[in-house]
């Protein structure tokens, strides 16, 4: 981000920390779409994503005094809160993570191809939202957030094996959903 824009953002954050409602609104307006996109990836519906965004923004503004520009950008800090808020919400809903059902599952993935690049974002988000919550959560953490299986296991309170299984199952599910979408078009 350009230096002048960083200074404007820093000024907004300072004003928001002092309780300036207009600064809160500007920060909200600036980041709500990006944070909503994260919420959409973790939710099963637009309405659920809207609730997750609301909860996340409340938490961001409550914790604004803990933001330290020396440790990263406001976006990165806020996105981490959004992700953690979404994970907490999913944990409350008692997602069931399947254990490995079959060793043949890995074989199912051998002919997988990358169709994501050929699809519109709305189609990918729709396919993600159809995914069972356990699959979707692991898929998001692995592919979008860059967590490894050990980190996912720690975040979700499952074994690394369960994380790997959920990821494989999510790929199979996503592949089938996207193939069905291509057949429908």
């Amino acid at each position: 981000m350009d230096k002048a824009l960083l200074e404007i953002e820093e000024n907004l954050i300072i004003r928001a920390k002092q309780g300036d409602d207009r600064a809160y609104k500007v920060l909200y307006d600036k980041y709500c779409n990006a944070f909503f996109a994260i919420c959409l990836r973790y939710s099963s519906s637009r309405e659920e994503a809207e609730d997750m965004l609301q909860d996340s923004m409340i938490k961001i503004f409550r914790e604004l005094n803990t933001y330290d520009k020396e440790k990263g950008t406001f976006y990165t800090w806020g996105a981490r809160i959004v992700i953690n808020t979404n994970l907490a919400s999913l944990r409350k809903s008692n997602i069931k993570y399947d254990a490995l059902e079959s060793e043949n599952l890995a074989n199912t993935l051998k002919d997988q191809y990358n169709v994501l690049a050929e699809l519109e974002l709305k189609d990918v988000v729709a396919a993600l939202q159809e995914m069972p919550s356990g699959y979707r959560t692991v898929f998001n953490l692995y592919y979008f957030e860059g967590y490894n299986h050990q980190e996912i296991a720690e975040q979700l309170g499952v074994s690394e094996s369960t994380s790997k299984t959920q990821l494989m199952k999510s790929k199979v599910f996503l592949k089938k959903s996207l193939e069905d979408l291509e057949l429908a078009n």
Side-chain angles (χ1 to χ4, degrees):
M1 190 182 307
D2 145 327
K3 187 176 179 177
L5 291 176
L6 278 174
E7 288 177 16
I8 292 169
E9 184 171 274
E10 287 174 27
N11 186 328
L12 281 170
I13 293 167
I14 291 167
R15 288 178 30 220
K17 285 180 177 181
Q18 295 169 344
D20 182 337
D21 289 338
R22 289 183 309 211
Y24 279 120
K25 177 155 179 29
V26 172
L27 286 171
Y28 179 89
D29 290 344
K30 181 175 181 179
Y31 290 104
C32 72
N33 289 334
F35 293 161
F36 184 63
I38 294 170
C39 294
L40 278 172
R41 290 197 325 256
Y42 284 91
S43 68
S44 59
S45 69
R46 185 173 184 81
E47 294 77 23
E48 184 180 25
E50 289 169 352
D51 289 344
M52 288 179 168
L53 175 65
Q54 186 69 23
D55 292 346
S56 297
M57 294 306 287
I58 289 169
K59 192 165 189 176
I60 286 170
F61 289 136
R62 277 192 189 140
E63 296 183 14
L64 192 56
N65 285 325
T66 67
Y67 168 68
D68 180 356
K69 69 179 181 179
E70 301 302 320
K71 293 182 180 177
T73 66
F74 183 79
Y75 171 79
T76 304
W77 176 81
R80 180 64 40 214
I81 290 175
V82 172
I83 292 163
N84 289 337
T85 301
N86 279 272
L87 290 176
S89 175
L90 292 169
R91 276 192 291 272
K92 285 181 189 172
S93 64
N94 293 321
I95 298 171
K96 301 294 184 233
Y97 295 94
D98 299 333
L100 186 60
E101 291 174 358
S102 166
E103 291 182 17
N104 294 330
L105 185 58
N107 295 330
T108 309
L109 298 173
K110 283 185 180 174
D111 18 320
Q112 183 161 353
Y113 55 93
N114 184 8
V115 296
L116 292 177
E118 299 172 18
L119 295 169
E120 292 185 34
L121 180 59
K122 67 178 178 58
D123 296 328
V124 175
V125 170
L128 284 172
Q129 288 181 332
E130 291 175 10
M131 230 183 246
S133 293
Y135 297 2
R136 182 176 55 243
T137 303
V138 172
F139 185 89
N140 280 315
L141 290 171
Y142 189 85
Y143 284 108
F144 291 107
E145 316 312 341
Y147 285 31
N148 63 39
H149 288 292
Q150 180 182 353
E151 293 166 327
I152 293 169
E154 290 170 6
Q155 277 284 335
L156 301 178
V158 298
S159 69
E160 282 186 57
S161 164
T162 298
S163 174
K164 290 175 184 177
T165 301
Q166 292 293 110
L167 184 63
M168 284 191 296
K169 288 181 177 184
S170 72
K171 289 179 188 178
V172 170
F173 185 95
L174 186 59
K175 180 181 179 195
K176 180 172 179 356
S177 293
L178 297 175
E179 285 172 348
D180 290 348
L181 179 68
E182 284 183 355
L183 293 175
N185 289 335

